[in-house]
Amino acid sequence: MTQSIWSKLFTALRGGANEVGESIADQQALRILDQEIRDADSALSNARRELVTIMAKHKLAADRVSEYDAKIKDLEAKAVSALNAGREDLALEVAEAISTLTNELDVEKKQSDEFGTYAENMRKDISKAESRIKSLRQQVDMAKARESVQKAQVSASIASGGANGKLETAVGTLNRLQAKQQQRAAELSAADELADASTGNDLERKLRDAGITPNEGSANAILERLKQKSAQ
């Protein structure tokens, strides 16, 4: 029972750690991809060096096969010469040497074929790996470009939002100021009306506006005074 609880707890903790690890991996995805590409390049370099070694071994094995072929052909010719000379005993001795060389040739040829097949397969694998790494590097470069563009867009959006917020604040301040000024102007106008009413100026103004009391300061009134003065 206790072991089961501890097992579940360990699984839960491991799951939480995996989630944290995945979160960190997501945040550093491009950095991780760059590192993985470097690791792949390093592995590819090792594979190329190994391929060179295998190709060298294949060449040496192929050269030995050629040497064995040449030796066997030479001994076969000598065995025929021995037979023609009536030296069957010598021809048999040469045949035994040919048999030994043939066995060694088979071993060398098998190794040469194996090295050749392995080298050819490695060439194909390396070529595929190079193509994949190239494609991955291009995708990472595009991802970096998109990341830069998106960061720029986010920064621009934040800056624009901040500017818009400041403009909205300024407009709000201006509206409040204008409202206060209008309120103050209305209050001053009301105060003037109250002052005129208390001093009688308001009544005189109303009479002048109605044409009952002449407005001595008007242009017509001044013109009449000038005419009267001229007539005297």
Side-chain angles (χ1 to χ4, degrees):
M1 180 67 176
T2 303
Q3 184 177 1
S4 177
I5 293 174
W6 280 109
S7 177
K8 291 180 180 179
L9 179 59
F10 175 74
T11 301
L13 290 174
R14 186 174 58 184
N18 288 337
E19 290 178 0
V20 172
E22 289 175 359
S23 176
I24 294 174
D26 289 341
Q27 294 173 4
Q28 299 180 346
L30 293 177
R31 186 181 303 173
I32 291 172
L33 282 172
D34 282 336
Q35 183 59 49
E36 289 178 347
I37 290 175
R38 287 193 292 270
D39 292 343
D41 277 332
S42 177
L44 193 58
S45 297
N46 292 335
R48 290 193 188 99
R49 287 192 292 270
E50 185 177 351
L51 175 60
V52 170
T53 301
I54 296 300
M55 290 175 65
K57 290 181 178 180
H58 175 244
K59 185 179 184 303
L60 291 174
D63 290 343
R64 285 194 295 270
V65 168
S66 297
E67 290 175 2
Y68 277 115
D69 279 333
K71 287 181 180 179
I72 289 172
K73 288 179 180 179
D74 180 62
L75 288 176
E76 286 177 348
K78 290 178 178 178
V80 171
S81 297
L83 288 172
N84 292 334
R87 294 291 306 274
E88 186 173 342
D89 57 328
L90 185 57
L92 179 60
E93 188 176 344
V94 173
E96 290 175 352
I98 291 173
S99 176
T100 301
L101 289 175
T102 300
N103 291 333
E104 293 176 358
L105 171 62
D106 291 339
V107 173
E108 289 294 339
K109 192 171 183 180
K110 182 178 179 181
Q111 288 183 348
S112 176
D113 291 341
E114 289 177 352
F115 284 136
T117 301
Y118 188 53
E120 183 62 26
N121 290 336
M122 282 194 68
R123 284 194 192 93
K124 293 178 181 178
D125 291 340
I126 289 173
S127 179
K128 290 179 182 178
E130 288 174 342
S131 297
R132 290 176 180 174
I133 291 174
K134 181 180 179 181
S135 176
L136 181 59
R137 184 175 283 111
Q138 290 174 344
Q139 293 179 41
V140 170
D141 289 341
M142 288 188 291
K144 287 180 179 179
R146 283 196 297 269
E147 183 72 10
S148 298
V149 171
Q150 289 175 356
K151 284 183 178 179
Q153 289 175 339
V154 169
S155 298
S157 297
I158 293 173
S160 176
N164 290 336
K166 291 179 180 178
L167 288 174
E168 290 176 0
T169 301
V171 170
T173 301
L174 179 59
N175 289 336
R176 288 193 298 273
L177 179 60
Q178 290 175 341
K180 288 181 180 179
Q181 291 174 344
Q182 291 173 356
Q183 176 68 23
R184 190 176 298 114
E187 291 174 354
L188 291 173
S189 177
D192 289 340
E193 290 180 2
L194 290 174
D196 289 342
S198 63
T199 59
N201 291 334
D202 184 57
L203 178 59
E204 292 179 1
R205 180 181 57 77
K206 290 180 179 179
L207 290 172
R208 285 196 302 271
D209 291 342
I212 298 173
T213 300
N215 185 1
E216 296 180 354
S218 66
N220 291 330
I222 293 172
L223 182 60
E224 287 298 325
R225 284 200 307 273
L226 291 174
K227 286 181 179 180
Q228 292 175 4
K229 187 175 181 180
S230 177
Q232 294 176 356

